[in-house]
Amino acid sequence: MRRVLVALMLAALVSGGAVAAAFKASEPLLVVRTAVEPADVIVVLGGDGPARAWQAAGLYRQGVAPKVLVTGFGDCQDIRRYMMDEGVPGEAIQTECTSRSTWENAVFSAPLLATMGARRAILVTSWFHTRRALACFRQVVPQVEWMSVPVERGESYRKMLSNHHGLSVLAEYVKIGWYAARYGVAAF
């Protein structure tokens, strides 16, 4: 029995060390920030709606792009409303509310971006999601020059370990691997 307890404790330490390493490496591995230059459209991915809406609205108010495309099932209309509450005119915001994954965000946004005549776009999503999201959009819509302005991390890694954000960060590593295998998305 003692050996089993020691083995379990060692496994917990190793996995705890792996989790700590994954969090420590998340900034350089998962985050892509680019310079912000004038664009044709700001593309906001669904999920974590208020924070992403606030970030995109700030870019719009700065005059970075005249149009916004909100993409994603579930909260796209909420994000649109949040942005309007932040001063973005409703006529500047187009929505795509059927996509249920990052891959579908890109695929379903492609024809809308073509209709808009987009040549340069800024992608807004959570900090840990930027690398995979940017890789998807670059692969699906290569004719558009993509920039990335993430919603920055608002809490310590220690705090994230105790809430859903921590699981989201850890899941992102798995999702990058899955997207590489499933869709051929080369995030690195």
Side-chain angles (χ1 to χ4, degrees):
M1 182 64 154
R2 186 164 194 238
R3 286 185 197 170
V4 171
L5 287 174
V6 170
L8 287 173
M9 288 173 57
L10 285 173
L13 286 173
V14 168
S15 69
V19 168
F23 272 98
K24 187 172 184 173
S26 64
E27 286 282 332
L29 290 178
L30 301 179
V31 182
V32 177
R33 293 176 188 86
T34 61
V36 177
E37 297 179 18
D40 301 305
V41 63
I42 300 164
V43 179
V44 186
L45 276 60
D48 199 15
R52 293 177 187 184
W54 183 82
Q55 179 79 310
L59 291 167
Y60 180 87
R61 287 191 312 268
Q62 291 172 25
V64 173
K67 300 175 194 165
V68 177
L69 173 60
V70 179
T71 176
F73 177 82
D75 63 350
C76 75
Q77 292 301 333
D78 291 335
I79 292 173
R80 183 176 191 277
R81 277 191 297 278
Y82 296 144
M83 292 186 70
M84 290 171 61
D85 290 346
E86 290 292 322
V88 180
E91 60 272 9
I93 307 169
Q94 188 167 348
T95 58
E96 179 288 302
C97 299
T98 57
S99 57
R100 293 178 176 267
S101 68
T102 305
W103 179 256
E104 287 185 354
N105 290 145
V107 170
F108 297 171
S109 294
L112 301 172
L113 292 165
T115 300
M116 291 176 179
R119 290 170 288 147
R120 301 179 92 201
I122 298 171
L123 195 62
V124 174
T125 190
S126 299
W127 63 275
F128 58 84
H129 184 229
T130 55
R131 183 165 304 278
R132 180 168 54 95
L134 196 57
C136 286
F137 276 83
R138 284 178 172 161
Q139 182 168 320
V140 173
V141 197
Q143 65 275 22
V144 172
E145 178 186 340
W146 291 97
M147 295 169 271
S148 173
V149 179
V151 173
E152 297 297 343
R153 178 171 54 91
E155 58 192 355
S156 70
Y157 291 125
R158 180 180 299 269
K159 181 165 179 140
M160 284 191 312
L161 284 171
S162 65
N163 64 36
H164 72 281
H165 289 126
L167 290 175
S168 296
V169 171
L170 295 176
E172 190 61 27
Y173 287 101
V174 175
K175 290 177 180 182
I176 285 174
W178 170 249
Y179 272 56
R182 173 76 169 96
Y183 303 112
V185 173
F188 293 101

